[in-house]
Coordinates of all heavy atoms in Angstrom, one line a residue:
M540 N 0.8 -1.2 0.0 CA 0.0 0.0 0.0 C 0.9 1.2 0.0 O 1.8 1.4 0.8 CB -0.9 0.0 1.2 CG -1.7 1.2 1.4 SD -3.0 1.1 2.6 CE -2.2 1.7 4.1
N541 N 0.6 2.2 -0.9 CA 1.3 3.4 -1.0 C 0.7 4.4 0.0 O -0.5 4.5 0.1 CB 1.3 4.0 -2.4 CG 2.2 3.2 -3.3 OD1 3.1 2.5 -2.9 ND2 1.9 3.4 -4.6
V542 N 1.5 5.2 0.7 CA 1.0 6.3 1.5 C 1.6 7.6 1.0 O 2.8 7.7 0.7 CB 1.5 6.1 3.0 CG1 1.0 7.2 3.9 CG2 0.9 4.8 3.5
S543 N 0.8 8.6 0.8 CA 1.2 9.9 0.3 C 0.8 11.0 1.3 O -0.2 10.9 1.9 CB 0.6 10.1 -1.0 OG 1.1 11.3 -1.6
E544 N 1.7 11.9 1.5 CA 1.4 13.1 2.3 C 0.4 14.0 1.8 O 0.2 14.0 0.5 CB 2.7 13.9 2.5 CG 3.8 13.2 3.3 CD 5.0 14.2 3.5 OE1 4.8 15.3 4.0 OE2 6.1 13.8 3.1
S545 N -0.4 14.6 2.6 CA -1.4 15.6 2.2 C -0.8 17.0 2.0 O 0.3 17.3 2.6 CB -2.5 15.7 3.3 OG -3.1 14.5 3.4
I546 N -1.4 17.8 1.2 CA -1.0 19.2 0.9 C -2.0 20.1 1.6 O -3.3 19.8 1.6 CB -1.0 19.4 -0.6 CG1 0.1 18.6 -1.2 CG2 -0.8 20.9 -0.9 CD1 0.0 18.7 -2.8
D547 N -1.6 21.2 2.2 CA -2.5 22.2 2.7 C -3.1 23.0 1.6 O -2.6 24.0 1.2 CB -1.7 23.1 3.7 CG -2.5 24.2 4.2 OD1 -3.7 24.3 4.0 OD2 -1.9 25.1 4.9
W548 N -4.1 22.4 1.0 CA -4.7 23.0 -0.2 C -5.4 24.4 0.0 O -5.5 25.2 -0.9 CB -5.8 22.1 -0.8 CG -6.9 21.7 0.1 CD1 -7.0 20.7 1.0 CD2 -8.1 22.4 0.2 NE1 -8.2 20.7 1.6 CE2 -8.9 21.8 1.2 CE3 -8.7 23.6 -0.4 CZ2 -10.2 22.2 1.6 CZ3 -9.9 24.0 0.0 CH2 -10.7 23.3 0.9
E549 N -5.7 24.7 1.3 CA -6.4 26.0 1.5 C -5.3 27.1 1.4 O -5.7 28.3 1.0 CB -6.9 26.0 2.9 CG -8.2 25.1 3.1 CD -8.7 25.1 4.5 OE1 -7.9 24.7 5.4 OE2 -9.9 25.4 4.7
H550 N -4.1 26.9 1.7 CA -3.0 27.9 1.6 C -2.1 27.8 0.4 O -1.3 28.7 0.2 CB -2.2 27.9 2.9 CG -3.0 28.2 4.1 ND1 -3.5 27.2 4.9 CD2 -3.3 29.4 4.7 CE1 -4.2 27.8 5.9 NE2 -4.0 29.1 5.8
T551 N -2.2 26.8 -0.4 CA -1.3 26.6 -1.5 C -1.8 27.3 -2.7 O -3.0 27.2 -3.0 CB -1.2 25.1 -1.8 OG1 -0.7 24.4 -0.7 CG2 -0.2 24.8 -3.0
P552 N -1.0 28.0 -3.5 CA -1.5 28.7 -4.7 C -2.2 27.7 -5.6 O -1.6 26.5 -5.8 CB -0.2 29.3 -5.3 CG 0.7 29.4 -4.2 CD 0.4 28.3 -3.2
I553 N -3.3 28.0 -6.1 CA -4.1 27.1 -6.8 C -3.4 26.4 -8.0 O -3.6 25.2 -8.3 CB -5.4 27.8 -7.3 CG1 -6.5 26.7 -7.6 CG2 -5.3 28.7 -8.4 CD1 -7.8 26.9 -7.0
D554 N -2.6 27.1 -8.7 CA -1.9 26.6 -9.9 C -0.9 25.5 -9.5 O -0.5 24.7 -10.3 CB -1.3 27.6 -10.8 CG -0.3 28.5 -10.0 OD1 -0.4 28.7 -8.8 OD2 0.7 28.9 -10.7
M555 N -0.4 25.6 -8.2 CA 0.6 24.6 -7.7 C -0.1 23.2 -7.4 O 0.6 22.3 -7.1 CB 1.3 25.1 -6.5 CG 2.0 26.4 -6.7 SD 3.4 26.2 -7.9 CE 4.5 25.3 -6.9
L556 N -1.4 23.2 -7.4 CA -2.1 21.9 -7.1 C -2.5 21.1 -8.4 O -3.0 20.0 -8.3 CB -3.4 22.2 -6.3 CG -3.2 22.9 -5.0 CD1 -4.5 23.3 -4.4 CD2 -2.5 22.0 -4.0
H557 N -2.2 21.7 -9.5 CA -2.4 21.0 -10.8 C -1.8 19.7 -10.8 O -0.6 19.5 -10.4 CB -1.9 21.9 -11.9 CG -2.1 21.4 -13.3 ND1 -3.3 21.1 -13.8 CD2 -1.2 21.0 -14.2 CE1 -3.1 20.6 -15.1 NE2 -1.8 20.6 -15.3
R558 N -2.5 18.7 -11.3 CA -2.0 17.3 -11.5 C -1.9 16.5 -10.2 O -1.4 15.4 -10.2 CB -0.7 17.2 -12.2 CG -0.8 17.8 -13.6 CD 0.6 17.9 -14.3 NE 1.0 16.5 -14.6 CZ 1.2 16.0 -15.8 NH1 0.8 16.7 -16.8 NH2 1.6 14.8 -15.9
H559 N -2.2 17.1 -9.0 CA -2.2 16.3 -7.8 C -3.4 15.5 -7.6 O -4.5 15.8 -8.0 CB -2.0 17.3 -6.6 CG -0.7 17.8 -6.4 ND1 0.3 17.2 -5.7 CD2 0.0 18.9 -6.9 CE1 1.4 17.8 -5.8 NE2 1.2 18.9 -6.5
R560 N -3.2 14.4 -6.9 CA -4.3 13.4 -6.6 C -5.2 14.0 -5.5 O -4.7 14.6 -4.6 CB -3.8 12.1 -6.2 CG -4.9 11.1 -6.0 CD -4.2 9.7 -5.6 NE -5.3 8.8 -5.4 CZ -5.0 7.6 -4.8 NH1 -3.8 7.3 -4.5 NH2 -6.0 6.8 -4.5
F561 N -6.5 13.8 -5.6 CA -7.4 14.2 -4.5 C -8.4 13.1 -4.2 O -8.7 12.3 -5.1 CB -8.1 15.5 -4.8 CG -9.3 15.3 -5.8 CD1 -10.6 15.2 -5.3 CD2 -9.0 15.3 -7.2 CE1 -11.6 15.0 -6.2 CE2 -10.1 15.1 -8.1 CZ -11.4 14.9 -7.6
I562 N -8.8 13.1 -3.0 CA -9.9 12.2 -2.6 C -10.9 13.1 -1.9 O -10.6 13.8 -0.9 CB -9.4 11.1 -1.6 CG1 -8.4 10.3 -2.3 CG2 -10.6 10.3 -1.1 CD1 -7.6 9.3 -1.4
A563 N -12.2 13.2 -2.4 CA -13.2 14.1 -1.9 C -14.4 13.3 -1.6 O -14.7 12.3 -2.2 CB -13.4 15.2 -3.0
R564 N -15.2 13.9 -0.7 CA -16.5 13.4 -0.3 C -17.6 14.4 -0.6 O -17.5 15.6 -0.3 CB -16.5 13.1 1.2 CG -17.6 12.4 1.7 CD -17.2 11.0 1.9 NE -18.4 10.1 2.1 CZ -18.4 9.2 3.0 NH1 -17.3 8.9 3.7 NH2 -19.4 8.4 3.1
T565 N -18.6 14.0 -1.4 CA -19.7 14.9 -1.7 C -20.6 15.0 -0.6 O -20.6 14.3 0.4 CB -20.5 14.3 -2.9 OG1 -21.2 13.2 -2.5 CG2 -19.6 14.0 -4.1
Q566 N -21.5 16.0 -0.7 CA -22.5 16.3 0.4 C -23.4 15.1 0.5 O -23.9 14.8 1.6 CB -23.3 17.5 0.0 CG -22.6 18.8 0.1 CD -22.1 19.2 1.5 OE1 -22.5 18.6 2.5 NE2 -21.2 20.1 1.5
E567 N -23.6 14.3 -0.6 CA -24.4 13.1 -0.5 C -23.7 11.8 -0.1 O -24.3 10.8 0.0 CB -25.1 12.9 -1.9 CG -26.1 13.9 -2.2 CD -26.0 14.5 -3.6 OE1 -25.2 13.9 -4.4 OE2 -26.6 15.5 -3.9
G568 N -22.4 11.9 0.2 CA -21.7 10.8 0.7 C -20.9 10.0 -0.3 O -20.2 9.0 0.1
Q569 N -20.9 10.4 -1.6 CA -20.1 9.7 -2.6 C -18.6 10.1 -2.4 O -18.3 11.2 -2.1 CB -20.6 10.1 -4.0 CG -19.9 9.4 -5.1 CD -20.4 9.8 -6.4 OE1 -21.2 10.8 -6.6 NE2 -19.9 9.2 -7.5
T570 N -17.7 9.2 -2.7 CA -16.3 9.4 -2.6 C -15.8 9.5 -4.1 O -16.0 8.6 -4.8 CB -15.6 8.3 -1.8 OG1 -16.1 8.3 -0.5 CG2 -14.1 8.6 -1.8
L571 N -15.0 10.5 -4.3 CA -14.3 10.7 -5.6 C -12.8 10.6 -5.4 O -12.3 11.2 -4.5 CB -14.6 12.0 -6.3 CG -15.9 12.1 -7.1 CD1 -17.1 12.5 -6.1 CD2 -15.8 13.2 -8.1
D572 N -12.1 9.8 -6.2 CA -10.7 9.7 -6.2 C -10.2 10.1 -7.6 O -10.5 9.4 -8.5 CB -10.3 8.3 -5.8 CG -8.8 8.0 -5.7 OD1 -8.0 8.9 -6.0 OD2 -8.5 7.0 -5.1
G573 N -9.6 11.2 -7.7 CA -9.2 11.7 -9.0 C -8.0 12.6 -9.0 O -7.2 12.6 -8.0
W574 N -7.8 13.3 -10.1 CA -6.7 14.2 -10.3 C -7.1 15.6 -10.5 O -8.1 15.8 -11.3 CB -5.8 13.7 -11.4 CG -5.4 12.3 -11.3 CD1 -6.1 11.2 -11.7 CD2 -4.3 11.8 -10.5 NE1 -5.4 10.0 -11.3 CE2 -4.3 10.4 -10.6 CE3 -3.3 12.4 -9.8 CZ2 -3.4 9.6 -10.0 CZ3 -2.3 11.6 -9.2 CH2 -2.3 10.2 -9.3
L575 N -6.5 16.6 -9.9 CA -6.9 18.0 -10.1 C -6.3 18.6 -11.4 O -5.2 18.3 -11.8 CB -6.4 18.8 -8.9 CG -7.1 18.5 -7.6 CD1 -6.4 19.3 -6.5 CD2 -8.5 18.9 -7.6
C576 N -7.1 19.4 -12.0 CA -6.7 20.0 -13.3 C -6.9 21.5 -13.1 O -8.1 22.0 -12.9 CB -7.5 19.5 -14.4 SG -7.2 20.3 -16.0
Y577 N -5.9 22.3 -13.2 CA -6.0 23.8 -13.1 C -6.5 24.4 -14.4 O -6.0 24.1 -15.5 CB -4.6 24.3 -12.8 CG -4.5 25.8 -12.8 CD1 -5.1 26.6 -11.8 CD2 -3.9 26.5 -13.8 CE1 -5.0 28.0 -11.8 CE2 -3.8 27.9 -13.9 CZ -4.4 28.6 -12.8 OH -4.4 30.0 -12.9
E578 N -7.5 25.2 -14.3 CA -8.0 25.9 -15.4 C -8.0 27.4 -15.1 O -8.5 27.8 -14.0 CB -9.5 25.5 -15.7 CG -9.7 24.1 -16.2 CD -9.2 24.0 -17.6 OE1 -9.3 25.0 -18.4 OE2 -8.7 22.9 -18.0
S579 N -7.4 28.2 -15.9 CA -7.3 29.6 -15.7 C -8.6 30.4 -15.9 O -8.8 31.5 -15.5 CB -6.2 30.3 -16.5 OG -6.4 30.1 -17.9
R580 N -9.5 29.7 -16.7 CA -10.8 30.3 -16.9 C -11.9 29.3 -16.5 O -12.1 28.3 -17.1 CB -11.0 30.7 -18.4 CG -10.2 31.8 -18.8 CD -10.9 33.1 -18.3 NE -10.0 34.2 -18.4 CZ -10.0 35.2 -17.6 NH1 -10.9 35.3 -16.6 NH2 -9.1 36.2 -17.7
S581 N -12.6 29.6 -15.4 CA -13.7 28.7 -14.9 C -15.0 29.4 -15.2 O -15.1 30.6 -15.6 CB -13.5 28.5 -13.4 OG -13.7 29.6 -12.7
P582 N -16.1 28.7 -14.9 CA -17.4 29.2 -15.2 C -17.7 30.5 -14.4 O -18.5 31.4 -14.9 CB -18.4 28.1 -14.7 CG -17.6 26.9 -14.8 CD -16.2 27.3 -14.5
H583 N -17.1 30.7 -13.2 CA -17.4 31.9 -12.5 C -16.4 33.1 -12.8 O -16.4 34.1 -12.2 CB -17.4 31.6 -11.0 CG -16.1 31.0 -10.4 ND1 -15.0 31.8 -10.3 CD2 -15.8 29.8 -10.1 CE1 -14.0 31.0 -9.8 NE2 -14.4 29.8 -9.7
G584 N -15.6 32.9 -13.9 CA -14.8 34.0 -14.4 C -13.3 34.0 -14.0 O -12.5 34.7 -14.5
G585 N -13.0 33.2 -13.0 CA -11.6 33.2 -12.5 C -11.0 31.8 -12.8 O -11.4 31.1 -13.6
S586 N -9.9 31.5 -12.0 CA -9.3 30.2 -12.1 C -9.9 29.3 -11.1 O -10.6 29.7 -10.2 CB -7.8 30.4 -11.8 OG -7.6 30.9 -10.5
S587 N -9.7 28.0 -11.4 CA -10.3 27.0 -10.5 C -9.6 25.6 -10.7 O -8.8 25.5 -11.6 CB -11.8 26.8 -10.9 OG -12.5 26.1 -9.9
L588 N -9.9 24.7 -9.8 CA -9.4 23.3 -9.9 C -10.5 22.4 -10.1 O -11.5 22.4 -9.4 CB -8.6 22.9 -8.6 CG -7.2 23.5 -8.6 CD1 -6.7 23.3 -7.1 CD2 -6.3 22.8 -9.5
F589 N -10.4 21.5 -11.2 CA -11.4 20.6 -11.5 C -10.9 19.2 -11.4 O -9.8 18.9 -11.4 CB -11.8 20.8 -13.0 CG -12.5 22.1 -13.3 CD1 -11.8 23.3 -13.5 CD2 -13.9 22.1 -13.3 CE1 -12.4 24.5 -13.8 CE2 -14.6 23.3 -13.6 CZ -13.8 24.5 -13.8
D590 N -11.9 18.2 -11.3 CA -11.6 16.8 -11.4 C -11.2 16.6 -12.8 O -12.0 16.9 -13.7 CB -12.9 16.0 -11.0 CG -12.7 14.5 -11.2 OD1 -11.7 14.1 -11.8 OD2 -13.6 13.8 -10.7
W591 N -10.0 16.1 -13.1 CA -9.5 15.9 -14.4 C -10.4 15.2 -15.4 O -10.6 15.5 -16.5 CB -8.1 15.2 -14.3 CG -7.3 15.3 -15.5 CD1 -7.6 15.0 -16.8 CD2 -6.0 15.9 -15.6 NE1 -6.5 15.3 -17.6 CE2 -5.5 15.8 -16.9 CE3 -5.1 16.3 -14.6 CZ2 -4.3 16.2 -17.3 CZ3 -3.9 16.7 -15.0 CH2 -3.4 16.7 -16.3
D592 N -11.0 14.1 -14.9 CA -11.8 13.2 -15.7 C -13.2 13.6 -15.9 O -13.8 13.4 -16.9 CB -11.7 11.8 -15.2 CG -10.3 11.2 -15.3 OD1 -9.6 11.4 -16.3 OD2 -9.9 10.5 -14.3
H593 N -13.8 14.3 -14.9 CA -15.2 14.6 -14.9 C -15.5 16.1 -15.0 O -16.6 16.5 -15.1 CB -15.9 14.1 -13.7 CG -15.8 12.6 -13.6 ND1 -14.9 12.0 -12.8 CD2 -16.4 11.6 -14.3 CE1 -14.9 10.7 -12.9 NE2 -15.8 10.4 -13.8
M594 N -14.4 16.9 -15.0 CA -14.5 18.4 -15.1 C -15.5 19.0 -14.1 O -16.2 19.9 -14.3 CB -14.8 18.8 -16.5 CG -13.7 18.6 -17.5 SD -12.1 19.1 -16.9 CE -12.2 20.9 -17.0
T595 N -15.6 18.4 -12.9 CA -16.4 18.9 -11.8 C -15.5 19.8 -11.0 O -14.4 19.5 -10.6 CB -16.8 17.7 -10.9 OG1 -17.6 16.8 -11.6 CG2 -17.6 18.2 -9.7
E596 N -16.0 21.0 -10.7 CA -15.2 22.0 -10.0 C -15.0 21.5 -8.6 O -16.0 21.1 -7.9 CB -15.9 23.4 -10.0 CG -15.0 24.5 -9.5 CD -15.6 25.8 -9.8 OE1 -16.9 25.9 -9.9 OE2 -14.9 26.8 -9.9
V597 N -13.8 21.5 -8.0 CA -13.5 21.0 -6.7 C -13.1 22.1 -5.8 O -13.6 22.2 -4.7 CB -12.4 19.9 -6.8 CG1 -12.1 19.4 -5.4 CG2 -12.8 18.7 -7.7
I598 N -12.1 22.9 -6.1 CA -11.5 23.9 -5.3 C -11.6 25.3 -6.0 O -11.2 25.4 -7.2 CB -10.1 23.6 -4.9 CG1 -10.0 22.3 -4.1 CG2 -9.5 24.8 -4.1 CD1 -8.6 21.8 -3.8
I599 N -12.1 26.3 -5.3 CA -12.2 27.6 -5.8 C -11.3 28.6 -5.0 O -11.3 28.6 -3.8 CB -13.7 28.1 -5.6 CG1 -14.7 27.2 -6.2 CG2 -13.8 29.5 -6.2 CD1 -16.1 27.4 -5.8
P600 N -10.4 29.3 -5.8 CA -9.5 30.2 -5.1 C -10.2 31.5 -4.7 O -11.2 31.9 -5.3 CB -8.5 30.5 -6.2 CG -9.2 30.4 -7.4 CD -10.2 29.3 -7.2
R601 N -9.7 32.1 -3.7 CA -10.2 33.4 -3.2 C -9.1 34.4 -3.4 O -7.9 34.1 -3.0 CB -10.7 33.4 -1.8 CG -12.0 32.5 -1.6 CD -13.1 33.2 -2.3 NE -14.3 32.4 -2.2 CZ -15.1 32.1 -3.2 NH1 -14.9 32.5 -4.4 NH2 -16.2 31.4 -3.0
R602 N -9.3 35.5 -3.9 CA -8.3 36.5 -4.2 C -7.6 36.9 -2.9 O -6.4 37.0 -2.8 CB -8.9 37.7 -4.9 CG -7.8 38.8 -5.2 CD -8.3 39.9 -6.1 NE -8.5 39.3 -7.4 CZ -9.2 39.9 -8.4 NH1 -9.8 41.0 -8.2 NH2 -9.2 39.3 -9.6
Y603 N -8.3 37.1 -1.8 CA -7.8 37.6 -0.5 C -8.2 36.6 0.5 O -9.3 36.7 1.1 CB -8.2 39.0 -0.2 CG -7.9 40.0 -1.2 CD1 -8.8 40.5 -2.1 CD2 -6.5 40.4 -1.4 CE1 -8.5 41.4 -3.1 CE2 -6.2 41.2 -2.4 CZ -7.2 41.8 -3.3 OH -6.8 42.6 -4.2
G604 N -7.5 35.5 0.7 CA -7.9 34.6 1.7 C -7.6 33.1 1.3 O -6.8 32.9 0.3
L605 N -8.2 32.2 1.9 CA -8.0 30.8 1.7 C -8.8 30.3 0.5 O -9.8 30.9 0.1 CB -8.5 30.0 2.9 CG -7.9 30.3 4.3 CD1 -8.7 29.5 5.3 CD2 -6.5 30.1 4.3
N606 N -8.2 29.3 -0.1 CA -9.0 28.5 -1.1 C -10.2 27.9 -0.4 O -10.1 27.5 0.7 CB -8.1 27.5 -1.8 CG -7.0 28.0 -2.5 OD1 -7.0 29.1 -3.1 ND2 -5.8 27.3 -2.5
V607 N -11.3 27.7 -1.1 CA -12.5 27.1 -0.5 C -12.9 25.9 -1.4 O -12.7 25.8 -2.6 CB -13.6 28.1 -0.4 CG1 -13.3 29.2 0.6 CG2 -14.0 28.7 -1.7
L608 N -13.6 25.0 -0.7 CA -14.1 23.8 -1.3 C -15.5 24.2 -2.0 O -16.3 24.9 -1.5 CB -14.4 22.8 -0.2 CG -14.6 21.3 -0.7 CD1 -13.5 20.8 -1.5 CD2 -14.8 20.5 0.6
H609 N -15.7 23.7 -3.2 CA -16.9 23.9 -3.9 C -18.1 23.3 -3.0 O -17.9 22.3 -2.4 CB -16.9 23.2 -5.2 CG -18.1 23.5 -6.1 ND1 -19.3 22.9 -5.9 CD2 -18.2 24.4 -7.1 CE1 -20.1 23.4 -6.8 NE2 -19.5 24.3 -7.5
P610 N -19.2 24.0 -2.9 CA -20.3 23.6 -2.1 C -20.8 22.1 -2.3 O -21.5 21.5 -1.5 CB -21.4 24.6 -2.3 CG -20.7 25.8 -2.9 CD -19.5 25.3 -3.6
F611 N -20.6 21.6 -3.5 CA -21.0 20.2 -3.8 C -20.3 19.2 -2.9 O -20.8 18.1 -2.7 CB -20.6 19.9 -5.3 CG -21.0 18.6 -5.8 CD1 -22.3 18.1 -6.0 CD2 -20.0 17.6 -6.1 CE1 -22.6 16.9 -6.4 CE2 -20.2 16.4 -6.5 CZ -21.6 16.0 -6.7
F612 N -19.1 19.6 -2.4 CA -18.3 18.7 -1.6 C -18.3 19.0 -0.1 O -18.5 20.1 0.3 CB -16.8 18.7 -2.1 CG -16.6 18.2 -3.5 CD1 -16.6 19.1 -4.5 CD2 -16.5 16.9 -3.7 CE1 -16.4 18.6 -5.8 CE2 -16.3 16.4 -5.0 CZ -16.3 17.3 -6.1
R613 N -18.2 17.9 0.7 CA -18.2 18.0 2.1 C -16.7 18.1 2.6 O -16.4 18.9 3.6 CB -18.8 16.8 2.7 CG -18.9 16.8 4.2 CD -19.4 15.5 4.8 NE -20.7 15.2 4.1 CZ -21.3 14.0 4.3 NH1 -20.8 13.1 5.0 NH2 -22.4 13.8 3.6
S614 N -15.8 17.4 2.0 CA -14.4 17.4 2.4 C -13.5 17.0 1.2 O -14.0 16.4 0.3 CB -14.2 16.5 3.6 OG -14.5 15.2 3.2
V615 N -12.2 17.4 1.3 CA -11.3 17.0 0.3 C -9.9 16.8 1.0 O -9.6 17.5 1.9 CB -11.2 18.0 -0.9 CG1 -10.6 19.3 -0.4 CG2 -10.4 17.4 -2.0
N616 N -9.2 15.8 0.5 CA -7.8 15.6 0.9 C -7.0 15.6 -0.4 O -7.2 14.8 -1.3 CB -7.6 14.2 1.6 CG -6.3 14.0 2.1 OD1 -5.5 14.9 2.2 ND2 -6.0 12.8 2.5
V617 N -6.0 16.6 -0.5 CA -5.2 16.7 -1.7 C -3.8 16.1 -1.3 O -3.2 16.5 -0.3 CB -5.0 18.2 -2.2 CG1 -4.1 18.3 -3.4 CG2 -6.4 18.8 -2.5
L618 N -3.4 15.2 -2.1 CA -2.1 14.5 -1.8 C -1.0 15.0 -2.7 O -1.1 15.6 -3.7 CB -2.3 13.0 -2.1 CG -3.5 12.3 -1.4 CD1 -3.7 10.9 -1.9 CD2 -3.3 12.3 0.1
K619 N 0.3 14.7 -2.2 CA 1.5 15.1 -2.9 C 1.7 14.3 -4.2 O 2.5 14.7 -5.0 CB 2.7 15.1 -2.0 CG 2.7 16.2 -1.0 CD 4.0 16.3 -0.2 CE 4.0 17.5 0.7 NZ 5.2 17.5 1.5
E620 N 1.0 13.2 -4.3 CA 1.1 12.3 -5.5 C 0.7 13.1 -6.7 O -0.3 13.8 -6.7 CB 0.2 11.1 -5.3 CG 0.3 10.1 -6.3 CD -0.6 8.9 -6.0 OE1 -1.1 8.7 -4.9 OE2 -0.8 8.1 -6.9
I621 N 1.5 13.0 -7.8 CA 1.3 13.8 -9.0 C 1.0 12.8 -10.2 O 1.7 11.8 -10.3 CB 2.5 14.7 -9.3 CG1 2.6 15.7 -8.3 CG2 2.3 15.3 -10.7 CD1 3.8 16.6 -8.5
R622 N 0.1 13.2 -11.0 CA -0.3 12.4 -12.2 C 0.9 12.6 -13.2 O 1.2 13.7 -13.6 CB -1.6 12.9 -12.8 CG -2.0 12.1 -13.9 CD -3.4 12.5 -14.4 NE -4.0 11.6 -15.3 CZ -5.3 11.5 -15.6 NH1 -6.1 12.4 -15.0 NH2 -5.7 10.6 -16.4
V623 N 1.3 11.5 -13.8 CA 2.3 11.5 -14.8 C 1.6 11.1 -16.1 O 0.6 10.4 -16.1 CB 3.5 10.6 -14.5 CG1 4.3 11.2 -13.3 CG2 3.1 9.2 -14.2
G624 N 2.2 11.5 -17.2 CA 1.7 11.0 -18.5 C 0.9 12.1 -19.1 O 1.4 13.2 -19.4
R625 N -0.4 11.9 -19.3 CA -1.3 12.8 -20.0 C -1.2 14.3 -19.5 O -1.1 14.5 -18.3 CB -2.8 12.4 -19.8 CG -3.2 11.2 -20.6 CD -4.6 10.9 -20.6 NE -5.5 11.7 -19.7 CZ -6.7 11.3 -19.4 NH1 -7.1 10.1 -19.7 NH2 -7.5 12.0 -18.6
Q626 N -1.2 15.2 -20.4 CA -1.1 16.6 -20.0 C -2.5 17.0 -19.7 O -3.0 17.8 -19.2 CB -0.6 17.5 -21.1 CG 0.9 17.1 -21.4 CD 1.8 17.5 -20.2 OE1 1.6 18.4 -19.5 NE2 2.8 16.6 -20.0

C-alpha cells in the first residue's frame, strides 16, 4: 500500500495543485478519487481546480484569503502524489 502526504490546499497557490491526486466526499456521501486540473478560466470567471476526468469544480480560489471547497463537496484531501503522462 502506498502512503502519500497531504497538501495544505487551503493555503497553497491554486496553480501549484495542478495534477495532484485528490480524494473528496460529496455532500451526498459519494467518494471521488481523481486528479486535479488547473483551469485559468472557470465558469465563475476566474481560475479553478477541476476533477481531471469529470470536469467537476473541486476547489475555488479566493483573491484575498483561503481557497475554498466547492459547495458540492463536504471534504477533500489533496495528496502530494502527481499524475504523470497525459497533460
Side-chain angles (χ1 to χ4, degrees):
M540 174 167 94
N541 289 338
V542 176
S543 185
E544 291 181 57
S545 295
I546 295 174
D547 178 5
W548 61 268
E549 290 178 302
H550 294 94
T551 301
I553 197 135
D554 59 327
M555 300 297 290
L556 299 172
H557 179 62
R558 299 175 67 110
H559 282 272
R560 184 177 177 193
F561 77 95
I562 300 170
R564 188 99 192 221
T565 67
Q566 293 293 347
E567 289 134 13
Q569 180 183 8
T570 301
L571 276 87
D572 185 347
W574 304 94
L575 292 171
C576 177
Y577 172 75
E578 290 288 330
S579 60
R580 288 281 165 213
S581 70
H583 58 76
S586 56
S587 194
L588 281 167
F589 291 84
D590 174 348
W591 198 303
D592 295 319
H593 302 102
M594 292 310 289
T595 302
E596 193 171 28
V597 180
I598 298 172
I599 305 166
R601 294 290 180 230
R602 182 171 286 167
Y603 304 105
L605 302 175
N606 296 325
V607 295
L608 193 57
H609 188 280
F611 178 72
F612 295 97
R613 181 183 310 170
S614 62
V615 67
N616 186 12
V617 179
L618 305 173
K619 287 189 176 179
E620 185 177 345
I621 295 177
R622 183 177 195 162
V623 292
R625 288 185 357 197
Q626 297 293 325

